[in-house]
Amino acid sequence: MTDSALLILIVPGFFLCFGLLWSLIVFLISRLGGWSRLSRLYPGNRPPPGHSWRWGSASFGLFASYRNCLDITLSNAGIYLRPVIFFRIGHTPILIPWHAIASARRSDLLITKAIRLEIKDPETGATRKLSFYGSNLANAIESGLGMA
């Protein structure tokens, strides 16, 4: 086999393997981090009308951090979350209604502000921690919860 023929096989093979590995990792993050469970409990079919943040940040517990890869919309219906296109495998949109938030706590980080929410699981009664980062977003969530 010539070098050029080998190159013709290696380059597409690399992109195919990279795409499959990327998809697997993103899918596993949705399962291990809690996104899939929350999206099953609170599905978000369409973004509701409201104020949106592009490239927002949030984290689910300790294992799943979505830094600068979420589209977040706050509306009268609740908090709508959808990852940007590169992270959507296994991540169906979520619409967390305001009444599902059991508690909220603000925290000051070094360069930004955050708000940590505890989301009620209506099936088990347990709560799941979800943190949002960014001063403007944290302030808006506080206002939506009537904390401000």
Side-chain angles (χ1 to χ4, degrees):
M1 184 174 282
T2 66
D3 290 343
S4 60
L6 189 58
L7 186 63
I8 289 172
L9 291 175
I10 289 175
V11 171
F14 168 78
F15 286 111
L16 177 65
C17 289
F18 179 79
L20 290 172
L21 183 61
W22 179 268
S23 299
L24 177 65
I25 290 169
V26 170
F27 181 80
L28 287 175
I29 289 170
S30 79
R31 295 302 186 257
L32 297 175
W35 183 288
S36 61
R37 171 90 176 142
L38 206 55
S39 69
R40 201 177 88 247
L41 295 171
Y42 302 111
N45 299 324
R46 293 185 193 157
H51 188 73
S52 295
W53 283 262
R54 301 287 177 238
W55 306 102
S57 298
S59 65
F60 286 68
L62 299 173
F63 299 110
S65 180
Y66 297 88
R67 298 279 181 184
N68 302 315
C69 67
L70 293 177
D71 292 336
I72 302 168
T73 301
L74 300 184
S75 71
N76 291 335
I79 303 171
Y80 178 82
L81 305 169
R82 183 178 72 176
V84 296
I85 195 157
F86 301 112
F87 298 97
R88 287 194 188 156
I89 295 172
H91 290 81
T92 56
I94 298 172
L95 178 60
I96 301 167
W98 294 111
H99 65 80
I101 299 172
S103 68
R105 190 183 81 223
R106 285 290 296 254
S107 59
D108 293 329
L109 304 174
L110 287 175
I111 57 174
T112 190
K113 305 228 183 270
I115 188 164
R116 173 175 271 183
L117 307 177
E118 290 194 9
I119 311 299
K120 289 184 277 190
D121 184 329
E123 294 175 358
T124 64
T127 59
R128 299 182 179 278
K129 290 179 177 45
L130 176 58
S131 298
F132 291 94
Y133 303 96
S135 298
N136 292 336
L137 179 58
N139 290 339
I141 291 173
E142 261 187 344
S143 295
L145 290 169
M147 292 172 58

PDB file of all heavy atoms in Angstrom, residues 65-101:
ATOM      1  N   SER A  65     -19.975  19.528  34.589  1.00  0.00           N
ATOM      2  CA  SER A  65     -19.831  20.972  34.506  1.00  0.00           C
ATOM      3  C   SER A  65     -20.049  21.398  33.062  1.00  0.00           C
ATOM      4  O   SER A  65     -19.401  20.879  32.151  1.00  0.00           O
ATOM      5  CB  SER A  65     -18.433  21.388  34.975  1.00  0.00           C
ATOM      6  OG  SER A  65     -18.296  22.776  34.895  1.00  0.00           O
ATOM      7  N   TYR A  66     -20.962  22.303  32.870  1.00  0.00           N
ATOM      8  CA  TYR A  66     -21.295  22.813  31.546  1.00  0.00           C
ATOM      9  C   TYR A  66     -20.842  24.269  31.476  1.00  0.00           C
ATOM     10  O   TYR A  66     -21.648  25.187  31.572  1.00  0.00           O
ATOM     11  CB  TYR A  66     -22.796  22.683  31.293  1.00  0.00           C
ATOM     12  CG  TYR A  66     -23.272  21.253  31.280  1.00  0.00           C
ATOM     13  CD1 TYR A  66     -23.667  20.617  32.446  1.00  0.00           C
ATOM     14  CD2 TYR A  66     -23.295  20.530  30.100  1.00  0.00           C
ATOM     15  CE1 TYR A  66     -24.084  19.297  32.440  1.00  0.00           C
ATOM     16  CE2 TYR A  66     -23.713  19.207  30.080  1.00  0.00           C
ATOM     17  CZ  TYR A  66     -24.107  18.597  31.251  1.00  0.00           C
ATOM     18  OH  TYR A  66     -24.517  17.291  31.240  1.00  0.00           O
ATOM     19  N   ARG A  67     -19.562  24.481  31.329  1.00  0.00           N
ATOM     20  CA  ARG A  67     -18.984  25.829  31.306  1.00  0.00           C
ATOM     21  C   ARG A  67     -19.092  26.425  29.911  1.00  0.00           C
ATOM     22  O   ARG A  67     -18.557  25.876  28.946  1.00  0.00           O
ATOM     23  CB  ARG A  67     -17.516  25.800  31.717  1.00  0.00           C
ATOM     24  CG  ARG A  67     -17.276  25.322  33.108  1.00  0.00           C
ATOM     25  CD  ARG A  67     -17.520  26.419  34.076  1.00  0.00           C
ATOM     26  NE  ARG A  67     -17.246  25.935  35.418  1.00  0.00           N
ATOM     27  CZ  ARG A  67     -17.439  26.625  36.486  1.00  0.00           C
ATOM     28  NH1 ARG A  67     -17.915  27.840  36.387  1.00  0.00           N
ATOM     29  NH2 ARG A  67     -17.182  26.131  37.662  1.00  0.00           N
ATOM     30  N   ASN A  68     -19.792  27.525  29.832  1.00  0.00           N
ATOM     31  CA  ASN A  68     -19.919  28.280  28.588  1.00  0.00           C
ATOM     32  C   ASN A  68     -20.425  27.437  27.421  1.00  0.00           C
ATOM     33  O   ASN A  68     -19.948  27.583  26.295  1.00  0.00           O
ATOM     34  CB  ASN A  68     -18.576  28.932  28.223  1.00  0.00           C
ATOM     35  CG  ASN A  68     -18.081  29.833  29.316  1.00  0.00           C
ATOM     36  OD1 ASN A  68     -18.829  30.626  29.866  1.00  0.00           O
ATOM     37  ND2 ASN A  68     -16.811  29.699  29.660  1.00  0.00           N
ATOM     38  N   CYS A  69     -21.391  26.569  27.685  1.00  0.00           N
ATOM     39  CA  CYS A  69     -21.921  25.742  26.591  1.00  0.00           C
ATOM     40  C   CYS A  69     -23.437  25.552  26.674  1.00  0.00           C
ATOM     41  O   CYS A  69     -23.969  24.645  26.047  1.00  0.00           O
ATOM     42  CB  CYS A  69     -21.212  24.394  26.542  1.00  0.00           C
ATOM     43  SG  CYS A  69     -21.528  23.323  27.935  1.00  0.00           S
ATOM     44  N   LEU A  70     -24.128  26.396  27.435  1.00  0.00           N
ATOM     45  CA  LEU A  70     -25.578  26.264  27.573  1.00  0.00           C
ATOM     46  C   LEU A  70     -26.304  27.500  27.059  1.00  0.00           C
ATOM     47  O   LEU A  70     -25.845  28.626  27.246  1.00  0.00           O
ATOM     48  CB  LEU A  70     -25.972  26.069  29.036  1.00  0.00           C
ATOM     49  CG  LEU A  70     -25.551  24.786  29.721  1.00  0.00           C
ATOM     50  CD1 LEU A  70     -25.965  24.828  31.186  1.00  0.00           C
ATOM     51  CD2 LEU A  70     -26.153  23.586  29.036  1.00  0.00           C
ATOM     52  N   ASP A  71     -27.444  27.260  26.443  1.00  0.00           N
ATOM     53  CA  ASP A  71     -28.405  28.324  26.176  1.00  0.00           C
ATOM     54  C   ASP A  71     -29.415  28.253  27.315  1.00  0.00           C
ATOM     55  O   ASP A  71     -30.043  27.208  27.530  1.00  0.00           O
ATOM     56  CB  ASP A  71     -29.108  28.121  24.836  1.00  0.00           C
ATOM     57  CG  ASP A  71     -28.165  28.306  23.660  1.00  0.00           C
ATOM     58  OD1 ASP A  71     -27.150  29.001  23.812  1.00  0.00           O
ATOM     59  OD2 ASP A  71     -28.449  27.744  22.588  1.00  0.00           O
ATOM     60  N   ILE A  72     -29.534  29.350  28.060  1.00  0.00           N
ATOM     61  CA  ILE A  72     -30.405  29.392  29.242  1.00  0.00           C
ATOM     62  C   ILE A  72     -31.450  30.471  29.027  1.00  0.00           C
ATOM     63  O   ILE A  72     -31.112  31.598  28.665  1.00  0.00           O
ATOM     64  CB  ILE A  72     -29.577  29.705  30.508  1.00  0.00           C
ATOM     65  CG1 ILE A  72     -28.480  28.655  30.698  1.00  0.00           C
ATOM     66  CG2 ILE A  72     -30.482  29.780  31.731  1.00  0.00           C
ATOM     67  CD1 ILE A  72     -27.444  29.033  31.740  1.00  0.00           C
ATOM     68  N   THR A  73     -32.717  30.116  29.240  1.00  0.00           N
ATOM     69  CA  THR A  73     -33.807  31.084  29.119  1.00  0.00           C
ATOM     70  C   THR A  73     -34.596  31.089  30.418  1.00  0.00           C
ATOM     71  O   THR A  73     -34.996  30.035  30.909  1.00  0.00           O
ATOM     72  CB  THR A  73     -34.738  30.728  27.945  1.00  0.00           C
ATOM     73  OG1 THR A  73     -33.991  30.698  26.737  1.00  0.00           O
ATOM     74  CG2 THR A  73     -35.869  31.744  27.819  1.00  0.00           C
ATOM     75  N   LEU A  74     -34.805  32.272  30.969  1.00  0.00           N
ATOM     76  CA  LEU A  74     -35.662  32.445  32.146  1.00  0.00           C
ATOM     77  C   LEU A  74     -36.987  33.018  31.678  1.00  0.00           C
ATOM     78  O   LEU A  74     -37.018  34.016  30.963  1.00  0.00           O
ATOM     79  CB  LEU A  74     -35.012  33.384  33.155  1.00  0.00           C
ATOM     80  CG  LEU A  74     -33.652  32.971  33.709  1.00  0.00           C
ATOM     81  CD1 LEU A  74     -33.185  33.961  34.759  1.00  0.00           C
ATOM     82  CD2 LEU A  74     -33.681  31.583  34.276  1.00  0.00           C
ATOM     83  N   SER A  75     -38.061  32.377  32.095  1.00  0.00           N
ATOM     84  CA  SER A  75     -39.389  32.814  31.686  1.00  0.00           C
ATOM     85  C   SER A  75     -40.355  32.635  32.844  1.00  0.00           C
ATOM     86  O   SER A  75     -39.973  32.145  33.904  1.00  0.00           O
ATOM     87  CB  SER A  75     -39.864  31.994  30.484  1.00  0.00           C
ATOM     88  OG  SER A  75     -40.168  30.678  30.892  1.00  0.00           O
ATOM     89  N   ASN A  76     -41.583  32.990  32.627  1.00  0.00           N
ATOM     90  CA  ASN A  76     -42.612  32.766  33.647  1.00  0.00           C
ATOM     91  C   ASN A  76     -42.802  31.276  33.918  1.00  0.00           C
ATOM     92  O   ASN A  76     -43.213  30.888  35.003  1.00  0.00           O
ATOM     93  CB  ASN A  76     -43.941  33.388  33.214  1.00  0.00           C
ATOM     94  CG  ASN A  76     -43.877  34.900  33.227  1.00  0.00           C
ATOM     95  OD1 ASN A  76     -43.078  35.488  33.939  1.00  0.00           O
ATOM     96  ND2 ASN A  76     -44.709  35.521  32.412  1.00  0.00           N
ATOM     97  N   ALA A  77     -42.496  30.447  32.936  1.00  0.00           N
ATOM     98  CA  ALA A  77     -42.657  28.998  33.087  1.00  0.00           C
ATOM     99  C   ALA A  77     -41.536  28.388  33.923  1.00  0.00           C
ATOM    100  O   ALA A  77     -41.727  27.344  34.535  1.00  0.00           O
ATOM    101  CB  ALA A  77     -42.700  28.330  31.721  1.00  0.00           C
ATOM    102  N   GLY A  78     -40.356  28.995  33.923  1.00  0.00           N
ATOM    103  CA  GLY A  78     -39.239  28.451  34.682  1.00  0.00           C
ATOM    104  C   GLY A  78     -37.907  28.687  33.999  1.00  0.00           C
ATOM    105  O   GLY A  78     -37.741  29.646  33.246  1.00  0.00           O
ATOM    106  N   ILE A  79     -36.970  27.789  34.237  1.00  0.00           N
ATOM    107  CA  ILE A  79     -35.616  27.888  33.696  1.00  0.00           C
ATOM    108  C   ILE A  79     -35.461  26.828  32.608  1.00  0.00           C
ATOM    109  O   ILE A  79     -35.577  25.634  32.869  1.00  0.00           O
ATOM    110  CB  ILE A  79     -34.557  27.656  34.793  1.00  0.00           C
ATOM    111  CG1 ILE A  79     -34.757  28.647  35.937  1.00  0.00           C
ATOM    112  CG2 ILE A  79     -33.155  27.761  34.219  1.00  0.00           C
ATOM    113  CD1 ILE A  79     -33.898  28.355  37.155  1.00  0.00           C
ATOM    114  N   TYR A  80     -35.207  27.290  31.387  1.00  0.00           N
ATOM    115  CA  TYR A  80     -35.048  26.404  30.238  1.00  0.00           C
ATOM    116  C   TYR A  80     -33.561  26.253  29.933  1.00  0.00           C
ATOM    117  O   TYR A  80     -32.829  27.244  29.848  1.00  0.00           O
ATOM    118  CB  TYR A  80     -35.779  26.995  29.032  1.00  0.00           C
ATOM    119  CG  TYR A  80     -35.645  26.203  27.763  1.00  0.00           C
ATOM    120  CD1 TYR A  80     -36.455  25.096  27.525  1.00  0.00           C
ATOM    121  CD2 TYR A  80     -34.721  26.555  26.801  1.00  0.00           C
ATOM    122  CE1 TYR A  80     -36.345  24.366  26.362  1.00  0.00           C
ATOM    123  CE2 TYR A  80     -34.599  25.830  25.627  1.00  0.00           C
ATOM    124  CZ  TYR A  80     -35.418  24.738  25.410  1.00  0.00           C
ATOM    125  OH  TYR A  80     -35.311  24.011  24.255  1.00  0.00           O
ATOM    126  N   LEU A  81     -33.102  25.007  29.784  1.00  0.00           N
ATOM    127  CA  LEU A  81     -31.696  24.716  29.522  1.00  0.00           C
ATOM    128  C   LEU A  81     -31.562  23.857  28.270  1.00  0.00           C
ATOM    129  O   LEU A  81     -32.281  22.871  28.112  1.00  0.00           O
ATOM    130  CB  LEU A  81     -31.069  23.941  30.686  1.00  0.00           C
ATOM    131  CG  LEU A  81     -31.174  24.556  32.063  1.00  0.00           C
ATOM    132  CD1 LEU A  81     -30.753  23.547  33.124  1.00  0.00           C
ATOM    133  CD2 LEU A  81     -30.313  25.779  32.140  1.00  0.00           C
ATOM    134  N   ARG A  82     -30.629  24.249  27.419  1.00  0.00           N
ATOM    135  CA  ARG A  82     -30.316  23.459  26.234  1.00  0.00           C
ATOM    136  C   ARG A  82     -28.839  23.664  25.902  1.00  0.00           C
ATOM    137  O   ARG A  82     -28.379  24.800  25.788  1.00  0.00           O
ATOM    138  CB  ARG A  82     -31.173  23.895  25.059  1.00  0.00           C
ATOM    139  CG  ARG A  82     -30.939  23.061  23.812  1.00  0.00           C
ATOM    140  CD  ARG A  82     -31.822  23.486  22.700  1.00  0.00           C
ATOM    141  NE  ARG A  82     -31.344  24.773  22.203  1.00  0.00           N
ATOM    142  CZ  ARG A  82     -31.858  25.405  21.170  1.00  0.00           C
ATOM    143  NH1 ARG A  82     -32.895  24.912  20.546  1.00  0.00           N
ATOM    144  NH2 ARG A  82     -31.361  26.555  20.779  1.00  0.00           N
ATOM    145  N   PRO A  83     -28.076  22.594  25.735  1.00  0.00           N
ATOM    146  CA  PRO A  83     -26.666  22.749  25.380  1.00  0.00           C
ATOM    147  C   PRO A  83     -26.509  23.251  23.945  1.00  0.00           C
ATOM    148  O   PRO A  83     -27.401  23.057  23.108  1.00  0.00           O
ATOM    149  CB  PRO A  83     -26.087  21.343  25.495  1.00  0.00           C
ATOM    150  CG  PRO A  83     -27.109  20.520  26.163  1.00  0.00           C
ATOM    151  CD  PRO A  83     -28.425  21.202  25.970  1.00  0.00           C
ATOM    152  N   VAL A  84     -25.371  23.863  23.663  1.00  0.00           N
ATOM    153  CA  VAL A  84     -25.068  24.242  22.286  1.00  0.00           C
ATOM    154  C   VAL A  84     -24.932  22.967  21.468  1.00  0.00           C
ATOM    155  O   VAL A  84     -24.791  21.871  22.011  1.00  0.00           O
ATOM    156  CB  VAL A  84     -23.801  25.130  22.201  1.00  0.00           C
ATOM    157  CG1 VAL A  84     -24.015  26.444  22.921  1.00  0.00           C
ATOM    158  CG2 VAL A  84     -22.583  24.403  22.726  1.00  0.00           C
ATOM    159  N   ILE A  85     -24.944  23.097  20.182  1.00  0.00           N
ATOM    160  CA  ILE A  85     -25.085  21.946  19.282  1.00  0.00           C
ATOM    161  C   ILE A  85     -24.023  20.863  19.482  1.00  0.00           C
ATOM    162  O   ILE A  85     -24.318  19.676  19.352  1.00  0.00           O
ATOM    163  CB  ILE A  85     -25.144  22.421  17.811  1.00  0.00           C
ATOM    164  CG1 ILE A  85     -25.662  21.293  16.935  1.00  0.00           C
ATOM    165  CG2 ILE A  85     -23.794  22.927  17.369  1.00  0.00           C
ATOM    166  CD1 ILE A  85     -26.258  21.750  15.656  1.00  0.00           C
ATOM    167  N   PHE A  86     -22.808  21.199  19.834  1.00  0.00           N
ATOM    168  CA  PHE A  86     -21.749  20.199  19.974  1.00  0.00           C
ATOM    169  C   PHE A  86     -21.938  19.291  21.181  1.00  0.00           C
ATOM    170  O   PHE A  86     -21.272  18.273  21.298  1.00  0.00           O
ATOM    171  CB  PHE A  86     -20.387  20.886  20.080  1.00  0.00           C
ATOM    172  CG  PHE A  86     -20.064  21.744  18.889  1.00  0.00           C
ATOM    173  CD1 PHE A  86     -19.994  23.118  19.015  1.00  0.00           C
ATOM    174  CD2 PHE A  86     -19.865  21.177  17.646  1.00  0.00           C
ATOM    175  CE1 PHE A  86     -19.711  23.909  17.930  1.00  0.00           C
ATOM    176  CE2 PHE A  86     -19.582  21.967  16.545  1.00  0.00           C
ATOM    177  CZ  PHE A  86     -19.510  23.333  16.683  1.00  0.00           C
ATOM    178  N   PHE A  87     -22.826  19.659  22.093  1.00  0.00           N
ATOM    179  CA  PHE A  87     -23.024  18.894  23.326  1.00  0.00           C
ATOM    180  C   PHE A  87     -24.439  18.328  23.455  1.00  0.00           C
ATOM    181  O   PHE A  87     -24.842  17.942  24.541  1.00  0.00           O
ATOM    182  CB  PHE A  87     -22.711  19.776  24.542  1.00  0.00           C
ATOM    183  CG  PHE A  87     -21.300  20.254  24.577  1.00  0.00           C
ATOM    184  CD1 PHE A  87     -20.972  21.510  24.104  1.00  0.00           C
ATOM    185  CD2 PHE A  87     -20.291  19.438  25.055  1.00  0.00           C
ATOM    186  CE1 PHE A  87     -19.667  21.956  24.127  1.00  0.00           C
ATOM    187  CE2 PHE A  87     -18.974  19.869  25.073  1.00  0.00           C
ATOM    188  CZ  PHE A  87     -18.664  21.129  24.606  1.00  0.00           C
ATOM    189  N   ARG A  88     -25.196  18.257  22.396  1.00  0.00           N
ATOM    190  CA  ARG A  88     -26.599  17.851  22.491  1.00  0.00           C
ATOM    191  C   ARG A  88     -26.831  16.350  22.500  1.00  0.00           C
ATOM    192  O   ARG A  88     -27.935  15.905  22.822  1.00  0.00           O
ATOM    193  CB  ARG A  88     -27.404  18.484  21.363  1.00  0.00           C
ATOM    194  CG  ARG A  88     -27.593  19.953  21.600  1.00  0.00           C
ATOM    195  CD  ARG A  88     -28.625  20.549  20.718  1.00  0.00           C
ATOM    196  NE  ARG A  88     -28.595  21.995  20.904  1.00  0.00           N
ATOM    197  CZ  ARG A  88     -29.013  22.854  20.022  1.00  0.00           C
ATOM    198  NH1 ARG A  88     -29.499  22.429  18.872  1.00  0.00           N
ATOM    199  NH2 ARG A  88     -28.943  24.129  20.271  1.00  0.00           N
ATOM    200  N   ILE A  89     -25.853  15.548  22.177  1.00  0.00           N
ATOM    201  CA  ILE A  89     -26.060  14.100  22.165  1.00  0.00           C
ATOM    202  C   ILE A  89     -26.360  13.634  23.589  1.00  0.00           C
ATOM    203  O   ILE A  89     -25.567  13.815  24.503  1.00  0.00           O
ATOM    204  CB  ILE A  89     -24.841  13.376  21.587  1.00  0.00           C
ATOM    205  CG1 ILE A  89     -24.672  13.765  20.128  1.00  0.00           C
ATOM    206  CG2 ILE A  89     -24.959  11.868  21.756  1.00  0.00           C
ATOM    207  CD1 ILE A  89     -23.409  13.285  19.496  1.00  0.00           C
ATOM    208  N   GLY A  90     -27.547  13.061  23.795  1.00  0.00           N
ATOM    209  CA  GLY A  90     -27.959  12.604  25.117  1.00  0.00           C
ATOM    210  C   GLY A  90     -28.473  13.709  26.018  1.00  0.00           C
ATOM    211  O   GLY A  90     -28.789  13.463  27.177  1.00  0.00           O
ATOM    212  N   HIS A  91     -28.561  14.922  25.511  1.00  0.00           N
ATOM    213  CA  HIS A  91     -28.990  16.071  26.311  1.00  0.00           C
ATOM    214  C   HIS A  91     -30.258  16.683  25.708  1.00  0.00           C
ATOM    215  O   HIS A  91     -30.187  17.634  24.939  1.00  0.00           O
ATOM    216  CB  HIS A  91     -27.900  17.141  26.340  1.00  0.00           C
ATOM    217  CG  HIS A  91     -26.698  16.772  27.130  1.00  0.00           C
ATOM    218  ND1 HIS A  91     -25.703  15.971  26.624  1.00  0.00           N
ATOM    219  CD2 HIS A  91     -26.328  17.101  28.379  1.00  0.00           C
ATOM    220  CE1 HIS A  91     -24.757  15.825  27.541  1.00  0.00           C
ATOM    221  NE2 HIS A  91     -25.118  16.490  28.622  1.00  0.00           N
ATOM    222  N   THR A  92     -31.406  16.146  26.060  1.00  0.00           N
ATOM    223  CA  THR A  92     -32.646  16.767  25.609  1.00  0.00           C
ATOM    224  C   THR A  92     -32.890  18.010  26.472  1.00  0.00           C
ATOM    225  O   THR A  92     -32.459  18.061  27.624  1.00  0.00           O
ATOM    226  CB  THR A  92     -33.836  15.793  25.707  1.00  0.00           C
ATOM    227  OG1 THR A  92     -33.924  15.321  27.049  1.00  0.00           O
ATOM    228  CG2 THR A  92     -33.647  14.617  24.767  1.00  0.00           C
ATOM    229  N   PRO A  93     -33.576  19.012  25.933  1.00  0.00           N
ATOM    230  CA  PRO A  93     -33.791  20.251  26.693  1.00  0.00           C
ATOM    231  C   PRO A  93     -34.564  20.022  27.986  1.00  0.00           C
ATOM    232  O   PRO A  93     -35.344  19.084  28.112  1.00  0.00           O
ATOM    233  CB  PRO A  93     -34.599  21.126  25.730  1.00  0.00           C
ATOM    234  CG  PRO A  93     -34.291  20.585  24.378  1.00  0.00           C
ATOM    235  CD  PRO A  93     -34.091  19.115  24.568  1.00  0.00           C
ATOM    236  N   ILE A  94     -34.320  20.926  28.938  1.00  0.00           N
ATOM    237  CA  ILE A  94     -34.945  20.859  30.265  1.00  0.00           C
ATOM    238  C   ILE A  94     -35.697  22.168  30.513  1.00  0.00           C
ATOM    239  O   ILE A  94     -35.191  23.242  30.195  1.00  0.00           O
ATOM    240  CB  ILE A  94     -33.872  20.688  31.364  1.00  0.00           C
ATOM    241  CG1 ILE A  94     -33.111  19.379  31.191  1.00  0.00           C
ATOM    242  CG2 ILE A  94     -34.493  20.763  32.753  1.00  0.00           C
ATOM    243  CD1 ILE A  94     -31.913  19.251  32.123  1.00  0.00           C
ATOM    244  N   LEU A  95     -36.885  22.070  31.094  1.00  0.00           N
ATOM    245  CA  LEU A  95     -37.611  23.245  31.571  1.00  0.00           C
ATOM    246  C   LEU A  95     -37.967  22.994  33.033  1.00  0.00           C
ATOM    247  O   LEU A  95     -38.885  22.233  33.349  1.00  0.00           O
ATOM    248  CB  LEU A  95     -38.874  23.517  30.755  1.00  0.00           C
ATOM    249  CG  LEU A  95     -39.720  24.693  31.221  1.00  0.00           C
ATOM    250  CD1 LEU A  95     -38.931  25.996  31.190  1.00  0.00           C
ATOM    251  CD2 LEU A  95     -40.971  24.824  30.378  1.00  0.00           C
ATOM    252  N   ILE A  96     -37.213  23.614  33.931  1.00  0.00           N
ATOM    253  CA  ILE A  96     -37.425  23.444  35.368  1.00  0.00           C
ATOM    254  C   ILE A  96     -38.439  24.493  35.822  1.00  0.00           C
ATOM    255  O   ILE A  96     -38.142  25.690  35.788  1.00  0.00           O
ATOM    256  CB  ILE A  96     -36.110  23.621  36.147  1.00  0.00           C
ATOM    257  CG1 ILE A  96     -35.071  22.610  35.663  1.00  0.00           C
ATOM    258  CG2 ILE A  96     -36.355  23.470  37.647  1.00  0.00           C
ATOM    259  CD1 ILE A  96     -33.664  22.912  36.143  1.00  0.00           C
ATOM    260  N   PRO A  97     -39.629  24.074  36.232  1.00  0.00           N
ATOM    261  CA  PRO A  97     -40.603  25.058  36.694  1.00  0.00           C
ATOM    262  C   PRO A  97     -40.149  25.682  38.014  1.00  0.00           C
ATOM    263  O   PRO A  97     -39.436  25.061  38.802  1.00  0.00           O
ATOM    264  CB  PRO A  97     -41.884  24.242  36.873  1.00  0.00           C
ATOM    265  CG  PRO A  97     -41.466  22.823  36.920  1.00  0.00           C
ATOM    266  CD  PRO A  97     -40.126  22.703  36.281  1.00  0.00           C
ATOM    267  N   TRP A  98     -40.551  26.907  38.243  1.00  0.00           N
ATOM    268  CA  TRP A  98     -40.139  27.617  39.457  1.00  0.00           C
ATOM    269  C   TRP A  98     -40.559  26.865  40.715  1.00  0.00           C
ATOM    270  O   TRP A  98     -39.831  26.847  41.706  1.00  0.00           O
ATOM    271  CB  TRP A  98     -40.714  29.039  39.468  1.00  0.00           C
ATOM    272  CG  TRP A  98     -40.160  29.901  38.379  1.00  0.00           C
ATOM    273  CD1 TRP A  98     -40.832  30.372  37.293  1.00  0.00           C
ATOM    274  CD2 TRP A  98     -38.821  30.402  38.264  1.00  0.00           C
ATOM    275  NE1 TRP A  98     -39.993  31.111  36.490  1.00  0.00           N
ATOM    276  CE2 TRP A  98     -38.748  31.161  37.078  1.00  0.00           C
ATOM    277  CE3 TRP A  98     -37.669  30.279  39.030  1.00  0.00           C
ATOM    278  CZ2 TRP A  98     -37.588  31.785  36.650  1.00  0.00           C
ATOM    279  CZ3 TRP A  98     -36.506  30.910  38.610  1.00  0.00           C
ATOM    280  CH2 TRP A  98     -36.469  31.650  37.435  1.00  0.00           C
ATOM    281  N   HIS A  99     -41.718  26.215  40.684  1.00  0.00           N
ATOM    282  CA  HIS A  99     -42.202  25.516  41.883  1.00  0.00           C
ATOM    283  C   HIS A  99     -41.376  24.269  42.204  1.00  0.00           C
ATOM    284  O   HIS A  99     -41.469  23.726  43.307  1.00  0.00           O
ATOM    285  CB  HIS A  99     -43.686  25.156  41.748  1.00  0.00           C
ATOM    286  CG  HIS A  99     -43.974  24.168  40.659  1.00  0.00           C
ATOM    287  ND1 HIS A  99     -43.787  22.813  40.803  1.00  0.00           N
ATOM    288  CD2 HIS A  99     -44.425  24.362  39.391  1.00  0.00           C
ATOM    289  CE1 HIS A  99     -44.120  22.200  39.679  1.00  0.00           C
ATOM    290  NE2 HIS A  99     -44.510  23.117  38.802  1.00  0.00           N
ATOM    291  N   ALA A 100     -40.552  23.795  41.264  1.00  0.00           N
ATOM    292  CA  ALA A 100     -39.723  22.604  41.506  1.00  0.00           C
ATOM    293  C   ALA A 100     -38.434  22.946  42.259  1.00  0.00           C
ATOM    294  O   ALA A 100     -37.705  22.050  42.657  1.00  0.00           O
ATOM    295  CB  ALA A 100     -39.381  21.927  40.189  1.00  0.00           C
ATOM    296  N   ILE A 101     -38.176  24.226  42.468  1.00  0.00           N
ATOM    297  CA  ILE A 101     -36.950  24.641  43.155  1.00  0.00           C
ATOM    298  C   ILE A 101     -37.220  24.664  44.652  1.00  0.00           C
ATOM    299  O   ILE A 101     -38.024  25.449  45.143  1.00  0.00           O
ATOM    300  CB  ILE A 101     -36.466  26.007  42.641  1.00  0.00           C
ATOM    301  CG1 ILE A 101     -36.168  25.898  41.140  1.00  0.00           C
ATOM    302  CG2 ILE A 101     -35.246  26.473  43.419  1.00  0.00           C
ATOM    303  CD1 ILE A 101     -35.871  27.208  40.455  1.00  0.00           C
TER     304      ILE A 101
END
